[in-house]
Amino acid sequence: MYDRKTWVVLALCGAILAANLYFSSKATVEKERVARQESIAKAATQPVPDLPTATTAELTVETPLPPTEKIQVVLENDEVVFTLSNIGGGIEYAELKKQFQVGSKSKMVRLNRFGAGSIGGFADNDGTITNQSYTYQENESVAGKKAVFIARLPSGLIAKKTWSLVEGDKPGSRYLLDFKLDLENSAATSVNASRWSLFLGEASPLYQTEIGQSTGFFWSEDGGIEFKDGGKFKKGMIGSAKSIIKSDADKPVDFAGVADQFFATVIRPKEPALAQVWGMGDAVTLTPDAKAVTSVRGGLQLPSGELATGGRTSLSYLVFIGPKHNTMLRKMEGVWGKGWGDVMQYGWFSPVSRVLNSVLNLYHNILAKVADTWAWGLAIILVTISLRVIIWPLQAKSTHTMKKMSKLQPEMAKIKEKYKDDPNKMNTETMGLYRKYGINPIGGCLPMFLQIPVFFGFYRMLQYAVELRGHGFLWVHDLSQPDTLAHIPIFGGVPFNVLPIVMAITSFLQMRMMPKTGDSTQQKIMMFMPLMFFFVCYNFASALALYWTTQNIFQIGQTWLMNRVPEPELKARAVGTKTSWVQRMTERQAEMQKRQKQGGPMRDVTPDKKKRPPRTGG
């Protein structure tokens, strides 16, 4: 009966939690809608400033080629091939020379491969890309280093775009382009530049089983970063699909971009200005017969400001198209402005992930001198062992406590049977038993709680570790991918991944070796966890399975050593020995509940009041 009640309570709690998530999500959506309307209304009431006046020469436009005729211009260094086009006057796509597509050793990773327009091209603020045909200014361009495009827009605005490679050896410079946008108003009336956005490009998964939440668009404002993943554009269990998502209109944007799991495209204004960022989702297929995945595109609004008839202005940007390499992005902050490191999307456990990534790279640099082929895999193993050694004292204390609690199981069973109809008395007697033998029940859980931020920090770090792409270990061909050796010919071909299987087996063995605590239901749930994690992590990167398997094997050895240590003896503590804070709080709560149940007076915990002598004099 007790177990049945427990499950009923858990089911009710789960239902309440689900209802709370549903209604709080609706409330959050409504709150965001109201805030966005207020932001737009506030921006509309602000006086529109004039754009800064440029002293550039008057722009002259030649007749452009028809949109059906495409001219491609290549800017190239030793890391990236930027292919620009006269259609949109921007970057049609970029290919990374040292990064290859999944399963290939020759086909380079191509960013903006599903883009409906060129990066840096003009788009309306509703997401419509104009794809204006520009004239390529060959006389102003430098082959392989600089490209200039110019066009007259239907609004009468003349736009001149100058793209230049960033020279030098500063962090990230190989993935950067200088982008200068000169505007001149040849129309009869003034024009507000915020009518248009710069297209940020498109990001899509690199492979079919890539985690969908890794792909999205983002922007940085007020020293923080906002990331919206592709799932926001699909109908879910709680919310409805959104066709377009926009940022607030009254905050200066430091930079904006789109990203997948390992790569990002970022446009950063040299001077932050009030602007909106928008993002939209599309369904694309990576291969002809594959299931559709979500691609995300975005845009960064031009600064709000009036450009009078004949007026000219100049806007400057940095454009980054490259890998989300934590070390490089952190170093870029000292040269190209703050916030680059936030592109990693580590989330809540960012400090842990940053430290672990630095340690991982440190170990790799050392190991690469003696074992270059397997250096990354060995570095993951070494980081895992280092973490386990650091928390060894806590783990040893936890095992010691769990062994003591295991020896108390017969006594605790008697208490549960004797006071099964009086839960308060049961708790009091249980805590009294712990106090009698000097056991702190939290001591057995402390290492588990300590490992939670480490595990999630490690998981996020390995999830976005572009350094692991293409590097193998043992039978693993790519540590950033599942270690699929073959496909089982059932259900359309189930991948046979070895490391997750080894991870589940070692997790089960490790739990079998731990002292048995709690009732039979709790023990069954704990033994079920390896199977649950097996299914959750089966198609994750093999680097994560390698970390978890290494941790399990290390902990099996640690538990074996702890089991060789003489068993702890249960010794009753002397009367009057100081109890723990948890024990005291539990006993006080049980006493209060007992008094309430009996209808007796509550214990007065207010300080004694001394009688005040009568006033004299007057």
Side-chain angles (χ1 to χ4, degrees):
M1 180 61 70
Y2 177 75
D3 288 342
R4 184 180 300 173
K5 288 182 179 179
T6 302
W7 287 113
V8 170
V9 171
L10 288 174
L12 288 174
C13 290
I16 293 172
L17 178 60
N20 179 64
L21 287 173
Y22 175 76
F23 289 109
S24 63
S25 175
K26 292 186 68 175
T28 301
V29 171
E30 178 63 19
K31 184 178 179 181
E32 289 179 351
R33 185 187 68 82
V34 173
R36 187 174 298 110
Q37 289 182 344
E38 292 177 349
S39 174
I40 294 172
K42 181 179 178 181
T45 59
Q46 299 296 322
V48 179
D50 292 332
L51 286 173
T53 303
T55 58
T56 55
E58 183 178 350
L59 302 179
T60 57
V61 187
E62 299 177 5
T63 303
L65 292 173
T68 55
E69 297 187 30
K70 181 189 291 187
I71 297 176
Q72 289 183 326
V73 181
V74 173
L75 305 184
E76 183 177 359
N77 56 35
D78 56 354
E79 293 285 349
V80 191
V81 179
F82 300 98
T83 300
L84 289 81
S85 171
N86 66 312
I87 307 301
I91 305 168
E92 184 176 354
Y93 57 84
E95 293 176 308
L96 308 183
K97 293 184 175 181
K98 298 178 182 178
Q99 297 288 342
F100 302 103
Q101 298 179 22
V102 176
S104 174
K105 295 294 184 182
S106 58
K107 294 182 179 179
M108 295 181 287
V109 166
R110 176 178 290 189
L111 303 183
N112 198 43
R113 54 180 170 160
F114 295 113
S118 297
I119 299 170
F122 279 173
D124 295 334
N125 292 325
D126 63 357
T128 304
I129 303 172
T130 58
N131 283 331
Q132 172 82 25
S133 179
Y134 282 68
T135 300
Y136 174 55
Q137 301 286 89
E138 188 172 3
N139 60 325
E140 296 186 45
S141 304
V142 179
K145 302 294 183 181
K146 178 181 176 181
V148 182
F149 299 92
I150 193 168
R152 185 188 303 274
L153 307 182
S155 62
L157 198 68
I158 300 175
K160 180 180 180 181
K161 299 179 180 181
T162 303
W163 298 88
S164 306
L165 292 178
V166 174
E167 305 289 347
D169 295 323
K170 294 179 180 178
S173 59
R174 292 291 188 271
Y175 304 100
L176 290 172
L177 286 174
D178 268 320
F179 173 37
K180 184 181 178 183
L181 176 61
D182 293 310
L183 299 174
E184 179 180 320
N185 184 13
S186 63
T189 59
S190 62
V191 175
N192 192 328
S194 62
R195 289 172 48 188
W196 298 279
S197 299
L198 291 177
F199 184 53
L200 295 170
E202 167 273 344
S204 55
L206 298 174
Y207 55 99
Q208 192 67 34
T209 58
E210 182 177 313
I211 301 172
Q213 286 74 16
S214 300
T215 300
F217 78 104
F218 56 89
W219 67 93
S220 175
E221 61 184 17
D222 294 337
I225 194 165
E226 290 285 340
F227 180 82
K228 302 294 182 181
D229 64 75
K232 300 293 189 300
F233 303 105
K234 296 191 298 183
K235 182 177 176 58
M237 295 179 60
I238 297 177
S240 58
K242 296 182 179 180
S243 59
I244 188 169
I245 298 176
K246 294 185 178 182
S247 68
D248 293 335
D250 59 345
K251 294 182 179 179
V253 175
D254 297 315
F255 58 82
V258 294
D260 56 41
Q261 185 173 356
F262 296 112
F263 304 98
T265 300
V266 181
I267 294 183
R268 181 170 193 141
K270 296 287 183 69
E271 296 292 335
L274 297 179
Q276 267 193 326
V277 180
W278 56 263
M280 303 180 71
D282 292 304
V284 298
T285 53
L286 303 182
T287 55
D289 299 327
K291 183 179 178 181
V293 295
T294 301
S295 165
V296 177
R297 66 181 189 271
L300 171 63
Q301 187 182 38
L302 292 175
S304 178
E306 291 288 344
L307 193 62
T309 301
R312 293 188 293 274
T313 190
S314 183
L315 304 173
S316 296
Y317 298 86
L318 268 178
V319 178
F320 171 90
I321 306 178
K324 289 161 35 179
H325 192 292
N326 178 64
T327 303
M328 179 186 71
L329 291 172
R330 293 290 163 194
K331 290 180 179 179
M332 287 176 64
E333 294 190 351
V335 181
W336 310 110
K338 296 181 180 179
W340 287 100
D342 294 331
V343 176
M344 290 304 303
Q345 302 163 227
Y346 282 149
W348 290 352
F349 300 100
S350 180
V352 178
S353 298
R354 294 176 192 173
V355 172
L356 291 175
N357 183 263
S358 298
V359 175
L360 180 69
N361 278 271
L362 174 64
Y363 284 161
H364 168 264
N365 294 338
I366 296 173
L367 293 167
K369 299 176 181 178
V370 294
D372 182 53
T373 305
W374 289 356
W376 284 112
L378 293 173
I380 293 171
I381 293 174
L382 196 54
V383 172
T384 306
I385 293 175
S386 299
L387 289 173
R388 298 306 307 178
V389 169
I390 290 173
I391 66 172
W392 182 301
L394 285 174
Q395 187 68 43
K397 185 176 181 180
S398 171
T399 304
H400 187 80
T401 301
M402 293 177 68
K403 284 184 176 181
K404 281 189 173 183
M405 293 176 66
S406 178
K407 290 191 173 185
L408 284 180
Q409 291 302 306
E411 294 293 328
M412 294 178 67
K414 292 179 182 179
I415 291 175
K416 289 182 179 181
E417 179 62 28
K418 185 176 180 180
Y419 301 105
K420 59 183 178 180
D421 297 326
D422 191 351
N424 294 330
K425 184 65 175 177
M426 183 192 301
N427 290 337
T428 302
E429 292 297 323
T430 301
M431 296 310 298
L433 194 63
Y434 288 149
R435 183 177 69 253
K436 178 180 178 181
Y437 292 102
I439 297 175
N440 184 356
I442 294 183
C445 305
L446 185 59
M448 184 179 296
F449 287 123
L450 182 64
Q451 289 180 68
I452 290 175
V454 175
F455 168 74
F456 282 107
F458 213 148
Y459 161 71
R460 297 290 281 186
M461 185 272 288
L462 293 177
Q463 179 183 353
Y464 294 114
V466 69
E467 302 97 313
L468 303 179
R469 292 194 78 249
H471 295 282
F473 180 70
L474 297 176
W475 65 86
V476 180
H477 298 293
D478 189 341
L479 285 166
S480 69
Q481 301 291 313
D483 62 322
T484 304
L485 292 183
H487 284 81
I488 304 173
I490 57 173
F491 303 113
V494 177
F496 177 62
N497 303 334
V498 179
L499 269 178
I501 298 174
V502 178
M503 178 194 75
I505 294 173
T506 52
S507 295
F508 180 79
L509 292 175
Q510 187 266 326
M511 288 190 174
R512 290 279 295 180
M513 295 176 66
M514 295 296 291
K516 301 297 183 292
T517 60
D519 56 29
S520 58
T521 302
Q522 293 173 338
Q523 293 177 18
K524 290 177 182 177
I525 292 175
M526 291 300 293
M527 295 304 295
F528 178 74
M529 288 182 67
L531 186 62
M532 180 183 68
F533 282 115
F534 167 74
F535 285 109
V536 171
C537 301
Y538 190 74
N539 284 317
F540 279 10
S542 53
L544 182 65
L546 177 61
Y547 150 66
W548 208 328
T549 302
T550 303
Q551 175 178 266
N552 292 339
I553 294 174
F554 185 91
Q555 199 161 351
I556 287 173
Q558 183 183 24
T559 305
W560 180 81
L561 288 176
M562 291 298 299
N563 289 339
R564 306 279 293 180
V565 176
E567 292 287 326
E569 297 183 5
L570 288 176
K571 293 182 179 180
R573 297 169 56 169
V575 178
T577 304
K578 186 177 180 181
T579 59
S580 69
W581 178 82
V582 175
Q583 293 168 338
R584 293 196 302 272
M585 292 298 296
T586 304
E587 291 173 359
R588 289 175 184 174
Q589 183 180 9
E591 181 184 353
M592 293 175 65
Q593 291 176 346
K594 182 178 180 182
R595 287 179 178 272
Q596 287 179 331
K597 186 176 181 181
Q598 294 175 348
M602 299 295 290
R603 181 165 60 92
D604 187 6
V605 295
T606 58
D608 295 334
K609 296 181 179 179
K610 295 182 180 180
K611 291 184 178 180
R612 184 174 181 178
R615 293 186 178 181
T616 59

